[in-house]
Amino acid sequence: MSDASTGSGAESEHDHAQHHEGPGYTTPQAAIEEGGREKLAYVMSLYVGTDVDAPDFVAVVDLDPESDTYCEIIDRIEMPNRGDELHHFGWNACSSSCHMEGLERQHLIVPGQRSSRLHVIDAADRRNPELVKVIEPEEVFEYDLSAPHTVHCVPDGQILISMLGDADGDLPGGFLELNEDFEIEGRWEPPGEIEMNYDYWYQPRQNVMVSTEWAAPKTYYPGFDLEDVEEGKYGQQIHFWDWEEGTVEQTIDLGEEGQIPLEVRFLHTPESTHGFVGTALSSNMFHFWRDEEAGEYRAEKAIDFEAREHPDWDMPVPGLTTDILISMDDRYLFGSNWLHGEVWMYDISDPSNPRRADSLSVGGTFGDIREVQGREIVAGPQMLQLSLDGERLYWTTSLFSSWDDQFYPEEAERGSVMLKADVDPRTGTLELDEDFLVDWGECPAGPARAHEIRWPDGDCTSDVWQ
Amino acid sequence: MASHEVRLEWPTGRTKTVTVREDETVLEAAGRDGIGLPYGCRTGACGTCTGRLLEAAGHESNDEQVLDVDDAFAYRRCQRALKDRHRADGYVLLCVAEPRADCRLAVGPSVHTELVENPWK
Ligand code: FES
């Protein structure tokens, strides 16, 4: 309870401040206890490649059920240019810097996936963030990199961004480092460490980073072409790096069952070497961990989602597991099967043997639930975000503009939605909240897509602990 | 500097003619005239700006004859987002294409969606 009149709120804040001086929380459990309920969300919103002649924007969504504007987009931070394809984004600082006095979680780094433009947004005023800096694509191309994706902060103030291509949108990709003043510091790794790149996560106490593979931008940008898979143009490897040195120590080829490894997560516990990666095209979950005896990492298929027959389609349809996340208490792995139309939760208390807890069939190709509050759901669940306490799961429905056009063309005409399920971590169950709907179809300039979701003060996919 | 008349045609029936110099791309010239064509990377990598050649130097594309897009355009950078089959079908990336003939182009966001289809359907 935070009844300010009794002063208890201020006291507990003071207490908290004694443990650390910097941003975030001292431990994942502290995040659960101190984070409080999410009242706002920042959501990547986009118009690129549609009839709407407007720039992409960051939506500020009201998630406070007590508020008059609950479930509404209460602010939009418009980008200065069109054509960015806002996709993933991240903070200048998270719990990994909680020992850094003076550093604050204040700036959002918002890359344009298609434009290679980098935006810096000052979110000191959580409800009215402001665009404060733009790094133009030409500056990024000078480092022979393009297609920015995952943003994480490095514990002492820098920012690291995975880059999927070279300046021509070809391979190899790499990593771009920004300094505390949001200037390009340079390429993080020595050239030639990897070819393909996508998502990454690091576990500093173990001095390890793991990165995944999508494809060359010129391959995935225009849309998904099966011919490219046959020609080996999509990835199936994951790379384990020496985090301090910035060099690849080990590469694991996941094989046929591990095609297109996208989102990758270590468990939150800083001691853990366990993690999961979702291989989108094969629609499998791989568990990875460090085998101490062998002195190297291992990866094993831990969950297999079967393709489904569709009466009117030529071939069995894969689930396309495009996003995963781990609850802050490391008990559950959540994921989305975008093509099937399913969100699911697995008990990972024994990470080698994930146990299905529950799932929800909604939207997409096969989902049982086809509408919420009379609004037709025209695509499957995609980007996920979970409350810090693990009791509310939210998701949006757009994957990537050109891939949406291929699989869910109506998403361009109708816009995306954000939906929510109530989670009971005790009983391991999910239930759709029928009262919750945020509709990007109602945006003033026209229907927009919605992609990654973040909470203003750290979430299950932003924070790392040192 | 020589220039060419490029007629842009949207599926809705809307049309606009833009005078494009030989040293500028169709996307640049359209932008100069305040015409909002779709784009993303502007480097020939993403395909968002794709147009389709309908007519060049008075010759129409039809079932009997497919126009060679390379007769109508020079490219500032390599068209990496297009495959051979796309080029053969008259697709062209307007962010890197500089005209070498008067022409008509199908434009708008629906054009780039023609590059790929749902492989399972
Ligand atoms: S805008 Fe990306 S290829 Fe032209």
Side-chain angles (χ1 to χ4, degrees):
Chain A
M1 292 298 289
S2 61
D3 184 354
S5 61
T6 66
S8 64
E11 262 169 46
S12 69
E13 259 172 48
H14 177 72
D15 204 336
H16 174 66
Q18 284 179 337
H19 297 294
H20 69 101
E21 305 290 339
Y25 314 93
T26 47
T27 65
Q29 177 61 24
I32 296 170
E33 292 172 17
E34 296 162 9
R37 187 183 170 128
E38 63 291 345
K39 298 220 168 116
L40 291 177
Y42 301 134
V43 184
M44 298 286 92
S45 308
L46 48 149
Y47 284 123
V48 62
T50 67
D51 275 318
V52 181
D53 189 14
D56 297 353
F57 61 94
V58 179
V60 182
V61 178
D62 188 340
L63 296 183
D64 181 0
E66 306 294 311
S67 160
D68 291 342
T69 49
Y70 181 49
C71 290
E72 286 176 27
I73 297 171
I74 54 170
D75 194 19
R76 288 175 300 120
I77 304 107
E78 284 208 344
M79 299 301 107
N81 297 271
R82 292 165 48 223
D84 285 313
E85 182 122 26
L86 300 191
H87 193 64
H88 286 228
F89 62 133
W91 291 101
N92 66 310
C94 79
S95 299
S96 69
S97 315
C98 76
H99 56 287
M100 293 284 291
E101 199 174 342
L103 201 59
E104 275 178 70
R105 188 198 305 269
Q106 180 181 341
H107 291 95
L108 283 165
I109 318 303
V110 179
Q113 223 293 314
R114 241 168 239 268
S115 66
S116 301
R117 190 175 284 107
L118 303 172
H119 309 89
V120 182
I121 288 177
D122 182 345
D125 179 350
R126 295 299 200 227
R127 295 179 73 89
N128 297 291
E130 238 187 294
L131 181 75
V132 289
K133 182 171 174 149
V134 177
I135 301 176
E136 292 296 338
E138 292 69 29
E139 250 190 275
V140 173
F141 297 151
E142 274 177 38
Y143 298 86
D144 202 17
L145 291 170
S146 69
H149 190 271
T150 302
V151 179
H152 283 297
C153 53
V154 178
D156 38 9
Q158 293 97 328
I159 292 137
L160 193 61
I161 308 173
S162 62
M163 308 293 291
L164 276 50
D166 68 10
D168 290 321
D170 218 320
L171 296 174
F175 289 87
L176 189 73
E177 188 178 338
L178 307 185
N179 65 23
E180 282 164 80
D181 299 320
F182 312 117
E183 291 156 345
I184 298 180
E185 191 70 29
R187 233 189 141 113
W188 177 71
E189 87 290 11
E193 288 296 298
I194 47 165
E195 282 288 306
M196 292 184 208
N197 202 0
Y198 180 69
D199 192 27
Y200 80 98
W201 194 285
Y202 67 99
Q203 191 71 311
R205 198 173 294 184
Q206 304 292 346
N207 188 33
V208 65
M209 174 177 111
V210 56
S211 70
T212 60
E213 299 189 334
W214 194 2
K218 67 164 188 188
T219 304
Y220 70 77
Y221 271 156
F224 176 72
D225 191 339
L226 214 45
E227 197 181 290
D228 290 330
V229 178
E230 283 149 19
E231 289 174 12
K233 291 185 180 161
Y234 278 94
Q236 56 179 45
Q237 305 186 116
I238 55 174
H239 307 278
F240 291 89
W241 298 67
D242 181 317
W243 170 243
E244 292 287 330
E245 295 295 319
T247 50
V248 173
E249 297 296 300
Q250 191 191 344
T251 291
I252 298 180
D253 190 328
L254 302 174
E256 285 255 306
E257 299 252 64
Q259 290 184 322
I260 317 191
L262 293 182
E263 310 303 321
V264 64
R265 322 288 183 201
F266 268 112
L267 264 57
H268 299 284
T269 307
E271 289 292 324
S272 183
T273 64
H274 291 263
F276 288 88
V277 57
T279 61
L281 183 59
S282 305
S283 302
N284 294 320
M285 287 302 121
F286 277 76
H287 164 229
F288 58 81
W289 73 99
R290 187 175 163 85
D291 179 338
E292 288 303 339
E293 248 166 64
E296 58 179 20
Y297 274 84
R298 300 207 180 286
E300 217 167 61
K301 188 176 79 170
I303 309 174
D304 187 336
F305 293 98
E306 294 286 330
R308 288 178 66 169
E309 299 283 346
H310 188 288
D312 306 325
W313 292 22
D314 300 339
M315 283 193 289
V317 189
L320 226 71
T321 51
T322 42
D323 194 23
I324 57 168
L325 64 76
I326 295 174
S327 62
M328 199 49 94
D329 60 8
D330 289 338
R331 279 167 71 190
Y332 292 105
L333 176 73
F334 291 83
S336 55
N337 294 358
W338 185 63
L339 259 188
H340 284 180
E342 193 179 33
V343 281
W344 43 261
M345 65 189 281
Y346 273 70
D347 156 19
I348 52 163
S349 50
D350 173 5
S352 312
N353 295 294
R355 183 185 131 263
R356 187 181 171 281
D358 201 2
S359 68
L360 205 58
S361 173
V362 52
T365 310
F366 301 103
D368 294 335
I369 300 161
R370 307 304 308 175
E371 57 173 58
V372 173
Q373 295 180 28
R375 163 66 148 99
E376 200 190 335
I377 311 300
V378 295
Q382 216 284 287
M383 287 315 288
L384 308 172
Q385 194 52 269
L386 183 69
S387 60
L388 291 170
D389 64 9
E391 295 184 4
R392 292 165 301 282
L393 180 73
Y394 302 78
W395 64 89
T396 54
T397 50
S398 163
L399 174 61
F400 193 62
S401 63
S402 44
W403 293 42
D404 289 357
D405 284 339
Q406 227 173 326
F407 301 108
Y408 297 119
E410 276 181 86
E411 188 83 346
E413 294 143 33
R414 306 287 305 273
S416 297
V417 293
M418 182 171 169
L419 299 175
K420 165 179 174 264
D422 292 311
V423 184
D424 186 336
R426 278 274 150 228
T427 54
T429 52
L430 278 171
E431 194 184 344
L432 186 74
D433 177 356
E434 302 268 2
D435 295 328
F436 186 95
L437 170 75
V438 187
D439 190 350
W440 269 256
E442 321 240 292
C443 292
R449 302 177 200 275
H451 195 68
E452 197 175 40
I453 308 167
R454 294 222 168 283
W455 311 145
D457 293 293
D459 50 55
C460 292
T461 56
S462 66
D463 279 40
V464 165
W465 278 269
Q466 188 157 29
Chain B
M1 179 61 65
S3 60
H4 302 280
E5 298 298 296
V6 178
R7 192 165 121 126
L8 308 174
E9 303 188 3
W10 284 262
T12 53
R14 175 188 169 208
T15 65
K16 275 264 185 192
T17 300
V18 189
T19 306
V20 189
R21 289 196 318 264
E22 287 201 343
D23 69 343
E24 63 182 351
T25 66
V26 177
L27 186 68
E28 282 168 349
R32 181 166 40 72
D33 284 7
I35 300 166
L37 294 180
Y39 64 84
C41 70
R42 305 190 73 122
T43 64
C46 80
T48 314
C49 65
T50 305
R52 187 161 35 81
L53 188 63
L54 300 171
E55 183 181 332
H59 299 289
E60 268 196 51
S61 165
N62 54 39
D63 290 347
E64 275 106 74
Q65 71 166 4
V66 181
L67 297 173
D68 189 346
V69 265
D70 296 347
D71 291 340
F73 295 98
Y75 309 105
R76 189 178 286 178
R77 293 174 71 152
C78 180
Q79 299 192 93
R80 288 187 172 75
L82 296 184
K83 300 205 159 91
D84 289 342
R85 67 168 198 266
H86 299 135
R87 288 177 235 252
D89 288 345
Y91 291 102
V92 54
L93 300 178
L94 304 183
C95 70
V96 294
E98 301 169 342
R100 291 295 176 264
D102 288 357
C103 57
R104 288 197 298 126
L105 282 169
V107 297
S110 62
V111 183
H112 70 76
T113 66
E114 297 164 10
L115 298 178
V116 284
E117 48 191 33
N118 182 339
W120 291 288
K121 205 161 179 168

